[in-house]
Amino acid sequence: DGQLRAMPSVRRFARQNGIDLTKVIATGRHGNVTLEDVKNFQATGKEIET
Amino acid sequence: MVVGTQARSVDLVVIGSGPGGYVAAIRAAELGQKVVIVERDFIGGVCLNVGCIPSKALINAGHAYHAQVHDTATIMGVHSNGATLNWEETQKWKNEKVVKTLTGGIEMLLKKRKIEILRGEARFNDNQVINVIEGENSHLLEFKSCIIATGSRPIEIPNFKFTGRLVNSTGALNLPEVPKHLVIIGGGVIGSELAGAYANLGAKVTILEGLPHILNGFDKEMIDVAAAEFQEKGVEIITSAIAKKAEQSTENVAITYEANGVEETITADYCLVSVGRKPNTDEIGLNNTDVKLTDRGQIIVNDRQQTSVSHIYAIGDVVAGPMLAHKASYEAKVAAANIAGEDVLNCAVAIPAVAYCDPELATMGETPESAKEKGLKVMIAKFPFAANGRAITMNATRGFIRIVSDKETKVIIGAQIVGPGASDLISEFALAIENGLTSEDISLTVHPHPTLGEAIMDTSELADGLPIHI
C-alpha cells in the first residue's frame, strides 16, 4: 500500500495528480517514495489506471 | 605497572559506563560480541549519577515548591498553609529513589546481557592491551576492539579550586542546604538550569556570565524568554563578567569579578563554577597508543566513530560535537554496529539540545541566524503559546514555537521551542527533520486537542501560509 511508503505531503500531491503510489519506484530514504519520484513518474507520461 | 601477567583475550572492551558506554556495551552484546565494560566510579556515568537525572529531579522539586508558595495560590485559588521544604528528604528522594532506581536498572540491563562489569581504572598499555587497575588488583585485557567512552569533567578556572564552598556541578547537586545566596559562574545550560532550580527553592541567585548573554547556543529571542522569567524570580544576571578570585571563610565565600572595567565583590553561601567541561582523555594511557587527539584533548574519529587506530573507537564527550547524553548514545550504537561487522555511519541530520530552564528551551538544526549565515533561503514561522488553549489552562503561555524551513521545498531544516514542555515537544521535530518532512507533512497530521503539541501543527500551518489560530 503506497500510503505507508510516502510522507503526507507526497501522498497529497499524488492524489491531486491522480497518481497511484504503488506504481511509483521509491528512491527516498528508508524506501520512501519522494516528491521527485512522483514527478518523475508523472513525466514519463505513463497511463494511470483508475 | 604490572609486568608479566598473562593478558586475557576479549572481543570488546568498553571504557566507561555512561550513556555512551553502557549503550555501546548493550548494543554490541545484542549483536553477538563478548563485552567487558570498565567503570572506575558509578554505573551510569555523569548523566545518571551527577548530571542530567539528579539535576532534573531537583528542578522538579523546585517547581513543586515554587507552585506551592507562589503561582497556584495567587492565580488558581489553590491555597496551602505555607509550604515548607525538608531539604534532607528532597536529597534522599533524588539519591535513593531517582538515581539509584536508574543506575540499578542499568546494572541489571548489563547483567541480563552477560556483559562483564570490571570496576577500576583503565590504562592502555599499547594498541592491543588494556590494564584495569582496581586497588591492589589488576587485569590485563587483550582486546579485538575497544570503545573509549570516558566522558568529561568540569573545568576548573584559576583561583577557583573546587573546595569547601566553591563547588562544581556535582557539589551543587549535593549542597548540605538550600543556600540563602548562591553565586553561579558560567550561565550556560548547566549554570542556568541550577540557577532556576535553586531560585525556585527559595535561594537568591546571581549568575556571572563571561559572554554578553547567558545560554550561549540558543538564539536571542529564546534567551530573552528565559531571562524575563529569571528577572521575575529575582535572579540577578551579570554579563560580560570575568571572575577573578574567591576567598572563603567558615561562613561564606566572597567572589571578586570584573565587569565593565569595574571590580566588584559579592559574598554568598556557596559558589558554583560551571564554565564548561573537558574530555577525560589525559589519564588513560593514550600516549602508549597511536590514537590521535586534537590539541584540546578530543579524540579524532571518522564517521564510523573509529580513531586513528581502526579497532579502537571513541564516543560521547571525548569526541567533537555537543557534550550531550543522547549524542553519546547515538554514537554508541554506530560504533557497536561497526564493531559487529555492520556498515553504519554517523549520519544524524540534527541533534536536539534542551535547557530545562523556566520555561524550557529546545533547539535543533538551523536557526534563523545560522540559515542566514549559510545563505540559505528559508521560511520562518513563529507561533506563540499564548494562542494555544492547553498552555492557557496551564497558566504557561510564555514562549513560542518556530519552524525554519527551506523556502522552495518546504522541508523543515530547523526548529526552536521555548515554552511549556519544549523538551518533549522537540521530539516531533527530531522525527520531522531526520525524515526530511515538510511543514505540510506536519499540518496534515492530526494532533490531539487540547495539547501543547497542537501548537506544532499550528506553526506548520503558519509555515504553509494557511494559519488557523493566529
Side-chain angles (χ1 to χ4, degrees):
Chain A
D1 175 65
Q3 281 285 41
L4 298 175
R5 293 170 55 235
M7 309 292 181
S9 59
V10 178
R11 299 205 301 259
R12 171 166 288 200
F13 180 86
R15 179 118 195 105
Q16 284 169 339
N17 291 275
I19 292 161
D20 178 356
L21 276 174
T22 59
K23 297 192 165 43
V24 179
I25 294 163
T27 67
R29 292 178 70 188
H30 322 297
N32 261 303
V33 176
T34 66
L35 188 63
E36 209 144 59
D37 294 339
V38 180
K39 285 180 174 170
N40 282 342
F41 183 86
Q42 209 181 6
T44 58
K46 285 190 182 169
E47 283 266 310
I48 314 293
E49 292 168 33
T50 48
Chain B
M1 193 69 247
V2 184
V3 185
T5 322
Q6 190 60 38
R8 162 158 81 93
S9 210
V10 293
D11 282 357
L12 171 63
V13 176
V14 179
I15 312 168
S17 71
Y22 86 74
V23 170
I26 288 174
R27 180 51 52 86
E30 284 171 338
L31 299 174
Q33 294 280 302
K34 189 87 197 73
V35 185
V36 175
I37 192 163
V38 182
E39 176 56 60
R40 68 173 175 186
D41 227 342
F42 304 106
I43 299 288
V46 168
C47 164
L48 272 73
N49 291 281
V50 292
C52 328
I53 298 297
S55 64
K56 295 318 94 62
L58 288 190
I59 287 165
N60 235 44
H63 286 163
Y65 180 71
H66 192 266
Q68 283 268 311
V69 284
H70 294 277
D71 325 338
T72 51
T74 52
I75 292 155
M76 299 174 197
V78 181
H79 298 271
S80 63
N81 297 328
T84 55
L85 181 76
N86 184 324
W87 186 237
E88 210 176 307
E89 286 173 20
T90 307
Q91 285 288 341
K92 204 172 156 183
W93 165 70
K94 165 177 76 75
N95 298 336
E96 291 179 16
K97 284 279 189 301
V98 180
V99 172
K100 216 174 259 180
T101 302
L102 280 163
T103 53
I106 301 303
E107 202 155 346
M108 267 175 38
L109 292 173
L110 294 169
K111 284 176 177 158
K112 186 173 138 189
R113 289 171 176 81
K114 311 269 187 295
I115 293 159
E116 185 188 343
I117 302 168
L118 268 190
R119 303 278 180 162
E121 297 240 357
R123 289 262 185 302
F124 284 94
N125 281 6
D126 52 42
N127 290 335
Q128 226 53 65
V129 176
I130 209 154
N131 190 9
V132 180
I133 304 153
E134 183 199 13
E136 299 292 293
N137 302 324
S138 96
H139 309 258
L140 280 180
L141 306 171
E142 188 171 0
F143 54 83
K144 288 196 188 80
S145 315
C146 174
I147 298 177
I148 302 166
T150 48
S152 61
R153 62 182 182 273
I155 290 174
E156 220 167 32
I157 52 174
N159 301 335
F160 287 84
K161 194 168 169 38
F162 296 131
T163 174
R165 295 176 175 275
L166 279 173
V167 294
N168 58 25
S169 54
T170 303
L173 293 166
N174 295 291
L175 290 176
E177 68 214 327
V178 174
K180 288 188 288 296
H181 188 180
L182 172 67
V183 169
I184 298 177
I185 299 170
V189 171
I190 295 171
S192 296
E193 285 185 2
L194 287 168
Y198 279 111
N200 286 335
L201 291 163
K204 158 96 183 94
V205 180
T206 307
I207 300 175
L208 299 175
E209 169 58 52
L211 295 168
H213 55 79
I214 58 165
L215 289 164
N216 188 39
F218 293 94
D219 64 68
K220 191 175 179 305
E221 255 182 308
M222 298 178 79
I223 297 165
D224 286 348
V225 179
E229 184 116 1
F230 270 141
Q231 193 168 12
E232 232 168 68
K233 287 177 179 163
V235 174
E236 192 184 7
I237 300 170
I238 303 164
T239 53
S240 306
I242 308 299
K244 295 279 195 182
K245 65 174 198 284
E247 282 171 15
Q248 292 197 54
S249 72
T250 49
E251 300 293 308
N252 55 38
V253 55
I255 292 100
T256 304
Y257 67 94
E258 189 183 301
N260 310 319
V262 184
E263 264 202 13
E264 305 267 6
T265 299
I266 25 177
T267 305
D269 307 315
Y270 294 93
C271 172
L272 158 65
V273 182
S274 51
V275 295
R277 301 179 62 84
K278 62 176 176 188
N280 292 326
T281 53
D282 48 351
E283 292 169 343
I284 51 173
L286 285 174
N287 48 335
N288 301 326
T289 69
D290 296 311
V291 171
K292 288 197 173 68
L293 304 173
T294 66
D295 47 13
R296 289 173 51 204
Q298 289 177 323
I299 299 173
I300 299 163
V301 289
N302 64 12
D303 48 16
R304 288 189 163 77
Q305 305 302 133
Q306 283 169 298
T307 68
S308 45
V309 179
S310 64
H311 64 280
I312 300 178
Y313 293 69
I315 58 172
D317 288 3
V318 294
V319 302
M323 287 184 170
L324 298 169
H326 44 276
K327 176 254 197 190
S329 301
Y330 171 76
E331 289 172 346
K333 289 175 269 192
V334 172
N338 279 291
I339 287 166
E342 292 182 13
D343 176 19
V344 172
L345 295 182
N346 178 334
C347 59
V349 178
I351 293 169
V354 174
Y356 292 79
C357 296
D358 296 324
E360 293 177 349
L361 301 91
T363 184
M364 64 182 305
E366 303 299 339
T367 62
E369 287 106 329
S370 72
K372 201 173 155 185
E373 275 165 25
K374 292 178 187 173
L376 302 168
K377 288 195 168 57
V378 292
M379 164 84 178
I380 312 280
K382 195 176 137 191
F383 185 85
F385 277 105
N388 173 266
R390 184 71 182 111
I392 294 166
T393 67
M394 292 165 70
N395 184 43
T397 52
R398 201 169 246 165
F400 58 83
I401 298 181
R402 190 205 285 135
I403 292 176
V404 181
S405 49
D406 183 287
K407 218 180 185 106
E408 201 183 331
T409 63
K410 289 187 177 179
V411 169
I412 299 168
I413 56 171
Q416 288 78 43
I417 307 174
V418 53
S423 59
D424 287 315
L425 295 174
I426 198 73
S427 287
E428 183 169 347
F429 285 118
L431 191 67
I433 292 172
E434 194 59 40
N435 288 283
L437 298 187
T438 62
S439 50
E440 195 185 22
D441 288 317
I442 293 185
S443 5
L444 293 169
T445 302
V446 183
H447 289 59
H449 173 79
T451 59
L452 297 170
E454 214 180 353
I456 293 177
M457 183 173 74
D458 277 301
T459 320
S460 304
E461 287 170 342
L462 187 59
D464 295 344
L466 296 164
I468 300 289
H469 293 111
I470 193 169

